[in-house]
Amino acid sequence: MINSILCDMLNIKYPIIQGGMAWIADSSLAAGVSNSGGLGIIAAANAPVDYVRNEIRKAKHLTDKPFGVNIMLLSDNADEIAKVVCEEGVKVVTTGAGSPGKYIEMWKKHGIKVLPVVASTALAKRMERDGVDAVIAEGCESGGHIGELTTMALVPQIVDSVKIPVIAAGGIGDGRGIAAAFMLGAVGVQVGTRFLVANECTVNENYKEKVIKAKDTDSVVTARPTGHPVRVIRNKLSRQFQLLEKSGAGLEKYEELGRGCLPKAAREGDIEMGSVMAGQIAGLVCKEQSCKEIITEMFSEAEERFAKIKQFIC
Ligand code: TUI
């Protein structure tokens, strides 16, 4: 059994957090992960405040285990969602795409564990000074909005730069990834792409199929000139983004092309003109499974890896 301080901090069985995948991670997936011993996460993304509140309430009916909410800090209603998590007694908040500094005092007063996603040592150090409980060091192998560094380079540097626990994210899709994350000094992992194809994940079936069919080289990073690069599975839309880049188009063109493109893929199933956000590890994700199967399989693989590691030492 792999155990770490993250399990005690979050009151979970396995040190695994589900990624806060925008327009995808709802109460069904969050409860599926939490009921399987990990920490499930509801993604607030750009959703209306009432939708998020309702998903939190639904999750409370679906599980008696802890779960969290991911707040995407680029969202216009981040301020309101920051209050809703307090009102609804959510136990854990993860954040993405920015610095949650201004909310931390309020969340701590409500006993919420705060776990920001960071993509640099500078932000990790600032977050530690601001009083967060742990940081999620996310490498650019991840799907969706990403930073510049790979997980392999980012995690050990963040581990060395802060005293709080570090959770590794980006490119982790099986037990080997978990074992590697622990070797880099992490106390847990955040996994997104593998949970995209969980039975409990309500994303459109076309999206699941696109992830299952993807090979190692099928993801690309789009929208770099906007300052918010996004990793997606290659399709018609990503090729149009690449043409924009070549033509040196202004930011408004990116805005126009990207508007509504994530729900178009995730909810409507348009996987050619929608944005299919997924990580580089998609090539390793080959079948739909329940959250319980995914988590138990990943951790038993990781245990096997640890048991075999001594063979390399003479
Ligand atoms: O947030 C994510 N991944 C996301 S958010 C999202 S929704 C979206 N849709 C369209 C455009 C942009 C976003 C889809 N995927 N991951 C966490 C993450 N956070 N990755 C990188 C960062 C990050 C980057 C810079 C966090 C902080 C940061 O620094 C900002 C600062 O204030 O210094």
Side-chain angles (χ1 to χ4, degrees):
M1 183 83 194
I2 292 174
N3 199 281
S4 83
I5 53 168
L6 190 67
C7 298
D8 300 327
M9 177 192 286
L10 303 179
N11 197 18
I12 53 179
K13 183 172 171 197
Y14 298 100
I16 183 167
I17 300 175
Q18 168 230 315
M21 297 168 288
W23 284 95
I24 294 171
D26 59 7
S27 54
S28 169
L29 181 59
V33 172
S34 290
N35 283 331
S36 308
L39 186 82
I41 297 284
I42 294 167
N46 289 311
V49 175
D50 287 344
Y51 168 85
V52 178
R53 194 188 292 280
N54 196 37
E55 285 304 301
I56 294 169
R57 291 182 181 175
K58 274 159 70 180
K60 285 183 205 162
H61 280 110
L62 293 169
T63 183
D64 57 359
K65 302 282 190 301
F67 63 89
V69 170
N70 175 266
I71 304 184
M72 209 273 279
L73 297 164
L74 287 172
S75 162
D76 291 340
N77 62 9
D79 285 354
E80 287 170 87
I81 305 286
K83 285 187 206 135
V84 167
V85 293
C86 299
E87 290 159 10
E88 294 297 323
V90 170
K91 300 279 187 292
V92 184
V93 166
T94 65
T95 64
S99 167
K102 65 176 175 174
Y103 308 121
I104 293 173
E105 199 185 326
M106 172 175 73
W107 288 338
K108 299 310 304 173
K109 273 190 194 144
H110 284 84
I112 295 174
K113 299 281 185 229
V114 184
L115 314 179
V117 172
V118 296
S120 68
T121 56
L123 190 59
K125 284 196 252 187
R126 199 163 102 212
M127 291 296 95
E128 180 176 50
R129 277 199 303 277
D130 287 351
V132 304
D133 297 278
V135 288
I136 302 170
E138 188 185 89
C140 60
E141 296 93 323
S142 297
H145 175 57
I146 51 171
E148 288 294 336
L149 298 177
T150 60
T151 304
M152 187 82 150
L154 182 69
V155 172
Q157 295 189 73
I158 292 192
V159 166
D160 285 351
S161 66
V162 295
K163 293 195 176 68
I164 52 177
V166 177
I167 297 135
I172 301 169
D174 66 9
R176 291 169 295 184
I178 295 176
F182 276 82
M183 289 297 170
L184 296 175
V187 299
V189 293
Q190 179 184 272
V191 170
T193 300
R194 179 120 184 222
F195 285 124
L196 277 174
V197 302
N199 297 137
E200 294 92 332
C201 182
T202 62
V203 74
N204 191 287
E205 281 300 319
N206 298 346
Y207 200 119
K208 287 188 180 180
E209 208 177 297
K210 185 96 176 156
V211 172
I212 286 170
K213 280 191 181 149
K215 301 190 302 294
D216 53 350
T217 53
D218 281 345
S219 81
V220 281
V221 180
T222 58
R224 276 201 192 280
T226 65
H228 302 298
V230 174
R231 182 178 297 285
V232 295
I233 308 267
R234 210 187 300 273
N235 64 3
K236 235 183 226 167
L237 179 69
S238 73
R239 282 188 281 274
Q240 291 191 3
F241 269 111
Q242 285 174 322
L243 287 178
L244 276 192
E245 239 175 275
K246 275 201 187 117
S247 71
L251 295 186
E252 69 289 348
K253 294 278 180 208
Y254 287 88
E255 167 81 12
E256 210 176 289
L257 186 60
R259 199 170 299 131
C261 62
L262 183 52
K264 195 185 272 185
R267 310 291 5 147
E268 294 164 31
D270 184 349
I271 51 164
E272 277 311 313
M273 280 313 292
S275 182
V276 184
M277 297 184 187
Q280 288 183 325
I281 205 67
L284 190 136
V285 175
C286 56
K287 60 175 184 289
E288 251 192 271
Q289 287 173 300
S290 68
C291 289
K292 189 161 188 190
E293 284 166 341
I294 292 172
I295 293 176
T296 52
E297 188 176 294
M298 286 181 77
F299 278 91
S300 60
E301 276 170 10
E303 272 183 41
E304 271 171 42
R305 287 279 143 181
F306 282 127
K308 282 186 189 154
I309 198 72
K310 284 203 181 111
Q311 75 190 40
F312 296 113
I313 302 164
C314 41

